[in-house]
């Protein structure tokens, strides 16, 4: 027992676990790697000599275990959360794939009974296995109708192909290469941008927004330009770059037989048709009648009639017998921003849906239409919080009838994948979620106070309190409201159950009627319930009637007083501080400032945390200013010691290059005046991790550590300095690293955990469990990693966990 007591003094064992050493404790935790029980560690007052003897035992007994330690990585199960912008299936229904607008694409696994991520280290070529290697959504993914194992995928300027059902992808050897397309643009719900010949899986067409139409006849190994289809016009010429959907293509199947033409819609130019498999095109004949110049989606009926919908002009069209007919001007449909159309393969039933989910059904080939109501519910085994999708606005993208199950309709929607089983006798379409396995949330923050459950803050769907990391969230705060983005959750050692947030609604052009456009406020119970700030200030350059005048940004709470909060909103608006828990606010004044926009948080979408409270000293806050606009002279680090009333410019100029984007300023818990700073830019030069031990007045670089996404501080493995975690490069090698000696030495605890090639936006660490770290990504939610006794091996396709051997 003496050994256990000495190890407990070092934070290496729990003396209440009689007879358990640290090694036994790790074995005990193997069955409960995510146990969220309270860790009330007893402390013994040992003599200096006894402590020295304990350290000797640590070196002799525990270090060999640490050398053999492995890390288990798994997703934090929140579920769904992002827009599924496309859906595709082969003709037999064996392979179903969907694309996501912020990261990756998914394939349904009957074996696992969930969606499986396609964009991972297991499936993508090794050239992408770099920091932030594939950190965006998939522009298009489709299955060859005649071959369930053949998948085409357009991602980050390239087209990749799989011949083994998504287990591995190969990049094309020729163009299209490095084409410009944005999977998260306003045109992301258009398509399909890739179409595969119904009987020849080697023949496919790919439509880009600015570089025209491309064709392959060798399964995507090589591509050639189709010059007879003009590139889409720029629909938003006032914006930067070319803004338009890619060229959309369809293979015609008259009478259900594969012998028809190929159609191509070039935005602003109209429709073109090919009679030679897509090698050459000419303008589609229309008997002199004007047809659409732009379509969002379209589909062919069994009799060869084509139906198309257009969100831009709010019209629906039918092409039959060589002539176009507008279904909105004289065909019975109202003018709406139509998003999708689907044709029942078994009869003449046609469904047209607008972008809010309103459904119109025709049972007679488009002559008469019936308007249907819609509702949604959570499917078996799906994230319970997806019940919030049951609203009047049900965002839609691609819809498609199941090729095998009669009357079943599939949809990509704003919160995941849904299906509906239709009935001609029902006037309501009931969407049922089948989203499990998809983690598409944009991670903003993660934080945990001692003895409390961790808090995960995300874009659009608030703050999730996770007492069980292996179970889907049941709710989120501050309020189940669509859409609410929590950019930050800030804690304080003054009260571990106190949390403050700057949560705000992302719909900044509408929907403030309920008075909850800004839900910024505080929680007194660890995030279970929330209270809005009693008042919001009006920053210079804003109007009192603007509900978003004080929103988003970065926020911090004093280490000694929960009433003392500093909040820097976005749009470079001036920061404010309160000393009465938000009942009143006063503006932060920085010497030499040029009003009105004296802040340093320029855009709501930036993963930027440049305001923090000191780790121990009450009333001490730090603010990094990047010198935007007319306030170049404010660049550097500012410090206050009186809760925000007065500020000193303690470091002038940039601490590191490129601080204006995803920079992170982190205070070390329990260490007065100690700070870490990273620019958060993975490709810039001159960006080693910086540290200050004097409250930001001077900075030194951490040897060998560069291109750091973020850093976090967890429970120490012995009494004293917190464990440091970071995502970045050590001596040029990217990975996740841990230091237990104040940054002198580093251990690699992960490379691309669970195969993720996404961009890290935030790190957090567990203050109760040694070694547990949380990782948040730009478009794929969160992962958790921690020491566990598991068998290390490379990440394999379809796995939902990874075991990594420390080195």
């Amino acid at each position: 027992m003496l050994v256990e007591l000495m190890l407990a003094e070092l934070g290496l064992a729990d003396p209440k676990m009689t007879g358990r050493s640290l090694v036994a404790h790790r074995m005990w935790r193997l069955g409960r790697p995510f146990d969220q029980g309270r860790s009330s560690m007893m402390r013994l007052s040992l003599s200096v000599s006894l402590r020295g003897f304990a350290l000797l035992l640590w070196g002799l007994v525990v270090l060999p275990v640490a050398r053999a330690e492995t890390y288990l990585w798994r997703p934090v199960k929140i579920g769904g959360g992002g827009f599924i912008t496309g859906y595709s299936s082969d003709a037999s229904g064996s392979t179903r794939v969907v694309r996501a607008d912020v990261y990756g694409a998914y394939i349904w696994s009957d074996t696992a009974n969930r969606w499986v991520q396609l964009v991972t280290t297991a499936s993508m070529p090794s050239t992408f296995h770099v920091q932030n290697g594939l950190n965006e959504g998939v522009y298009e993914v489709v299955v060859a109708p005649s071959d369930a194992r053949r998948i085409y995928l357009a991602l980050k300027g390239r087209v990749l192909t799989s011949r083994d059902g998504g287990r591995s992808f190969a990049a094309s050897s020729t163009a299209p290469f490095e084409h410009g397309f944005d999977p998260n643009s306003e045109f992301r719900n258009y398509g399909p941008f890739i179409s595969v010949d119904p009987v020849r899986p080697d023949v496919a067409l790919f439509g880009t927004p600015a570089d025209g139409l491309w064709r392959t006849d060798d399964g995507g190994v090589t591509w050639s330009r189709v010059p007879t289809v003009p590139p889409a016009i720029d629909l938003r010429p006032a914006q930067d770059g070319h803004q338009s959907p890619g060229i959309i293509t369809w293979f015609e199947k008259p009478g259900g037989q594969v012998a028809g033409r190929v159609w191509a819609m070039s935005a602003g130019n109209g429709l073109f048709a090919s009679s030679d498999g897509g090698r050459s095109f000419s303008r589609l004949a229309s008997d002199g009648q004007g047809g659409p110049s732009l379509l969002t989606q379209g589909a062919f009926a069994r009799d060869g009639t084509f139906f198309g919908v257009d969100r831009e002009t709010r019209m629906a069209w039918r092409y039959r017998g060589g002539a176009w007919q507008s279904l909105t001007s004289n065909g019975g449909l109202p003018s709406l921003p139509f998003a999708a159309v689907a044709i029942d393969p078994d009869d003449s039933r046609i469904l047209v849906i607008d972008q809010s989910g309103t459904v119109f059904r025709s049972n007679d080939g488009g002559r008469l239409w019936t308007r249907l109501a819609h509702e949604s519910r959570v499917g078996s085994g799906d994230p319970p919080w997806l019940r919030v999708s049951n609203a009047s606005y049900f965002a839609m993208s691609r819809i498609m009838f199941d090729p095998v199950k009669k009357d079943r309709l599939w949809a990509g929607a704003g919160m995941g994948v849904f299906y509906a089983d239709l009935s001609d006798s029902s006037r309501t379409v009931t969407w049922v979620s089948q989203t499990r396995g998809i983690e598409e949330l944009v991670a903003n923050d993660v934080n945990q106070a001692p003895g409390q459950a961790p808090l995960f803050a995300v874009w659009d769907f608030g703050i999730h309190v996770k007492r069980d990391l292996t179970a889907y969230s049941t709710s989120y705060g501050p309020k189940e409201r669509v859409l609410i983005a929590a950019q930050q959750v800030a804690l304080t050692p003054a009260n571990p159950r106190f949390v403050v947030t700057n949560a705000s609604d992302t719909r900044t052009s509408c929907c403030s009627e309920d008075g909850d456009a800004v839900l910024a406020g505080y929680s007194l119970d660890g995030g279970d319930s929330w209270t809005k700030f009693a008042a919001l200030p009006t920053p210079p350059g804003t109007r009192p009637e603007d509900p978003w005048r004080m929103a988003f940004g970065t926020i911090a709470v004093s280490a000694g007083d929960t009433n003392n909060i500093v909040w820097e909103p976005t749009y470079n608006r001036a920061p404010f501080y309160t000393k009465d828990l938000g009942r009143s606010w006063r503006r932060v004044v920085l010497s030499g400032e040029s009003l009105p926009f004296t802040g340093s948080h320029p855009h709501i979408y930036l993963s930027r945390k440049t305001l923090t409270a000191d780790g121990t000293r009450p009333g001490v806050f730090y603010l990094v200013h990047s010198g935007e606009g007319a306030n170049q002279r404010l660049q550097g680090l500012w410090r206050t010691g009186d809760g925000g009333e007065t500020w000193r410019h303690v470091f002038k100029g940039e601490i590191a290059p490129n601080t204006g984007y995803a920079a992170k300023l982190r205070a070390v818990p329990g260490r007065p005046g100690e700070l870490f700073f990273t620019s958060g830019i993975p490709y810039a030069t001159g960006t080693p991790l910086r540290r200050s031990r004097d409250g930001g007045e001077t900075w030194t670089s951490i040897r060998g550590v560069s291109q750091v996404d973020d850093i976090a501080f967890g429970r120490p493995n012995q009494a004293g300095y917190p464990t440091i975690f970071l995502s970045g490069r050590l001596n040029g090698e990217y990975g996740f690293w841990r230091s237990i000696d104040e940054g002198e030495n580093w251990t690699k605890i992960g490379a691309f955990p669970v195969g993720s090639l996404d961009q890290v936006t935030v790190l957090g660490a567990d203050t109760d469990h040694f070694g547990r770290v949380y990782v948040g990504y730009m478009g794929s939610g969160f992962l958790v990693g921690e020491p566990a006794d598991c068998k290390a091996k490379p990440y394999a396709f379809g796995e939902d966990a990874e075991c990594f051997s420390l080195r």
Side-chain angles (χ1 to χ4, degrees):
M1 184 61 185
L2 178 61
V3 172
E4 281 80 4
L5 292 177
M6 289 185 291
L7 292 175
E9 169 62 18
L10 298 176
L12 304 176
D14 189 338
K16 292 190 293 184
M17 296 187 294
T18 306
R20 288 187 178 127
S21 67
L22 177 64
V23 177
H25 178 42
R26 283 178 177 154
M27 294 299 292
W28 170 73
R29 285 183 57 210
L30 175 60
R32 300 176 62 196
F34 299 118
D35 178 30
Q36 290 295 312
R38 295 188 61 186
S39 178
S40 54
M41 300 292 288
M42 295 176 58
R43 294 293 181 185
L44 285 161
S45 299
L46 300 181
S47 67
V48 173
S49 58
L50 188 57
R51 182 175 177 82
F53 181 52
L55 285 169
L56 177 61
L57 287 177
W58 162 253
L60 294 176
V61 177
V62 177
L63 282 183
V65 175
R67 282 196 293 270
E69 193 176 33
T70 49
Y71 251 65
L72 180 65
W73 291 91
R74 293 185 180 179
V76 175
K77 295 184 74 172
I78 295 176
F83 212 140
I84 296 300
T85 57
Y87 179 98
S88 177
S89 170
D90 71 296
S92 70
S94 301
T95 299
R96 299 190 284 127
V97 295
V98 295
R99 54 175 157 103
D101 63 350
V102 288
Y103 180 75
Y106 294 83
I107 185 169
W108 177 258
S109 169
D110 285 328
T111 303
N113 190 33
R114 62 177 172 85
W115 294 95
V116 170
Q117 177 64 255
L118 284 172
V119 181
T120 68
T121 54
S123 56
M124 293 291 113
S126 60
T127 184
F128 298 118
H129 297 188
V130 296
Q131 187 176 13
N132 302 351
L134 290 172
N135 57 329
E136 62 180 45
V138 162
Y139 186 67
E140 188 59 277
V141 60
V142 299
V143 187
S146 62
D147 186 347
R149 296 177 61 81
R150 300 287 290 276
I151 301 173
Y152 290 78
L153 183 148
L155 169 64
K156 213 166 187 178
R158 301 169 185 250
V159 176
L160 301 100
T161 54
S162 173
R163 295 171 181 264
D164 56 8
R167 292 182 174 276
S168 63
F169 281 85
S172 58
S173 61
T174 64
F177 178 78
E178 296 300 333
H179 283 297
F181 45 75
D182 182 0
N184 199 21
S185 79
E186 63 173 298
F187 306 108
R188 62 191 182 275
N189 295 331
Y190 288 57
F193 303 128
I194 298 178
S195 292
V196 185
D197 187 289
V199 295
R200 297 176 295 173
D202 283 339
V203 177
L205 293 163
F206 171 52
T208 68
D211 298 312
L213 182 64
W214 296 75
R215 184 182 185 276
T216 181
D217 58 9
D218 58 10
V221 177
T222 60
W223 295 80
S224 58
R225 177 78 175 269
V226 181
T228 47
V229 177
I233 67 170
D234 189 350
L235 299 180
R236 306 286 188 270
Q239 298 182 15
D240 293 337
H242 188 98
Q243 302 290 321
S244 71
I247 294 173
I248 306 171
T249 53
W250 302 271
F251 280 84
E252 197 177 34
K253 293 195 297 181
Q257 301 302 310
V258 182
R261 296 172 295 180
V262 185
W263 288 29
M265 165 56 75
S266 173
N269 297 306
L271 273 154
F272 296 78
S274 170
S275 298
D276 58 5
R279 293 180 177 86
S280 62
F281 286 78
S282 58
R283 187 171 295 277
L284 181 68
S286 59
D287 288 345
Q289 298 186 23
S293 63
L294 177 65
L295 289 176
T296 301
Q297 291 184 23
F300 284 99
R302 288 180 60 85
D303 64 359
T305 302
F306 177 81
F307 292 85
V309 295
D310 180 13
R311 189 190 70 183
E312 290 277 301
T313 61
R314 303 166 65 94
M315 295 184 71
W317 296 86
R318 179 175 63 191
Y319 184 84
R320 177 187 290 168
W324 286 104
Q325 179 188 358
S326 169
L327 300 176
T328 45
S329 60
N330 56 13
L333 283 173
S335 178
L336 291 171
F338 293 109
V341 57
I343 311 294
D344 192 328
D346 295 320
D347 57 32
S348 58
R349 181 169 46 183
I350 302 151
L351 294 179
V352 169
I353 304 181
D354 81 345
Q355 65 183 14
S356 69
T358 303
V359 181
F360 296 88
R361 180 185 66 206
S362 173
N363 291 329
D364 59 4
R367 189 173 63 89
L368 298 175
W369 296 87
T370 301
R371 183 171 183 154
L372 307 178
H374 66 270
E375 62 183 12
S376 70
R377 62 180 177 83
V378 179
S380 176
D382 260 27
W385 70 270
L386 288 179
R387 63 179 174 273
V388 302
S389 66
N390 190 25
S392 60
Y393 196 99
F394 188 80
M396 298 295 299
S397 62
R398 187 80 186 276
I399 60 174
M400 185 178 184
F401 275 94
D402 191 286
V404 176
K405 186 173 179 60
K406 184 176 174 55
D407 295 329
R408 174 158 292 184
L409 187 70
W410 289 96
M415 295 186 196
V417 182
F418 289 74
Y419 69 86
D421 290 324
L422 304 178
S423 168
D424 285 339
S425 63
S426 175
R427 292 298 183 97
T428 300
V429 176
T430 300
W431 295 105
V432 182
S433 70
Q434 194 177 96
T435 302
R436 53 193 175 274
I438 293 176
E439 294 285 349
E440 205 201 337
L441 289 162
V442 176
N444 281 331
D445 203 7
V446 53
N447 222 329
Q448 181 181 20
Q452 304 299 308
L455 305 170
F456 297 86
V458 300
W459 203 252
D460 291 345
F461 298 106
I463 300 164
H464 296 251
V465 183
K466 299 292 292 181
R467 291 180 174 83
D468 184 352
L469 301 178
T470 66
Y472 287 125
S473 297
T474 58
S475 183
Y476 62 87
K479 181 179 181 180
E480 283 191 357
R481 183 180 190 274
V482 180
L483 302 164
I484 191 75
Q487 280 195 310
Q488 197 165 357
V489 285
L491 309 177
T492 171
N495 180 354
R497 290 179 64 76
F498 183 85
V499 190
V500 67
T501 185
N502 53 4
S504 308
D505 195 319
T506 54
R507 299 170 295 181
T508 56
S509 60
C510 76
C511 313
S512 62
E513 296 82 4
D514 62 359
D516 287 334
V518 175
L519 285 171
Y522 58 91
S523 173
L524 301 177
D525 55 13
D528 287 331
S529 62
W530 295 86
T531 301
K532 289 197 298 183
F533 290 132
L536 292 178
T538 302
T542 68
R543 297 172 288 106
E545 61 269 23
D546 178 3
W548 282 274
R549 64 189 182 276
M550 187 79 180
F552 305 106
T554 180
I555 197 167
V557 56
S558 167
D561 182 3
T562 58
N563 290 309
N564 186 193
I565 298 163
V566 179
W567 180 8
E568 181 182 44
T570 196
Y571 305 125
N572 284 339
R573 292 169 183 170
F576 283 76
Y577 70 94
T578 178
K579 291 190 174 182
D580 57 11
L581 197 56
R583 288 183 288 274
S584 64
W585 298 84
R586 298 185 65 183
R587 186 171 69 84
V588 167
V589 177
L590 304 177
S591 177
E593 66 187 12
S594 178
L595 291 169
F597 301 114
T598 59
S600 185
H601 194 286
H603 305 291
I604 64 173
Y605 55 80
L606 290 179
S607 178
R608 177 176 176 83
K609 295 174 178 65
T610 48
L611 170 69
T612 190
D614 189 86
T616 61
R617 295 184 295 182
V620 177
F621 294 85
Y622 307 92
L623 171 67
V624 171
H625 203 295
S626 299
E628 291 87 1
N631 281 291
Q632 181 66 31
R633 72 187 73 181
L634 301 185
Q635 190 178 75
L637 186 126
W638 295 77
R639 185 178 70 210
T640 179
D642 53 16
E645 294 181 25
T646 59
W647 294 74
R648 278 184 54 214
H649 200 176
V650 298
F651 186 90
K652 296 184 178 181
E654 284 195 321
I655 302 171
N658 298 294
T659 64
Y661 304 99
K664 308 289 194 307
L665 177 68
R666 300 296 195 184
V668 182
R671 309 289 288 198
E674 187 153 351
L675 304 167
F676 281 81
F677 179 81
T678 175
S679 299
I681 301 295
Y683 304 115
T685 58
T687 58
L689 181 64
R690 264 71 165 184
R691 167 194 263 161
S692 174
R693 297 183 186 269
D694 56 8
E697 296 184 22
T698 61
W699 296 84
T700 58
S701 297
I702 304 297
R703 176 173 47 88
V705 179
S706 63
Q707 279 79 40
V708 174
D709 299 308
D710 198 8
I711 53 177
F713 308 100
R715 175 177 171 170
N717 76 321
Q718 57 187 10
Y721 203 90
T723 300
I724 308 173
F725 299 93
L726 66 83
S727 163
R729 303 182 197 177
L730 179 66
N731 299 323
E733 180 183 353
Y734 174 71
F736 292 84
W737 308 86
R738 185 186 77 187
S739 174
I740 58 175
D741 58 5
E742 304 189 33
E744 288 296 318
N745 297 284
W746 298 89
T747 299
K748 191 171 185 178
I749 60 174
F752 299 96
V754 199
S756 178
L757 295 168
D758 198 2
Q759 178 176 334
V760 174
T761 56
V762 65
L763 290 188
D766 195 304
T767 54
D768 297 326
H769 298 81
F770 170 72
R772 184 180 291 177
V773 61
Y774 306 108
V775 182
Y777 288 96
M778 188 174 72
S780 53
F782 297 87
L783 298 176
V784 58
E786 65 178 337
D789 188 3
C790 55
K791 183 177 181 179
K793 62 178 182 178
Y795 174 73
F797 175 79
E799 295 291 326
D800 62 352
E802 180 187 0
C803 185
F804 185 87
S805 180
L806 273 63
R807 55 184 178 84

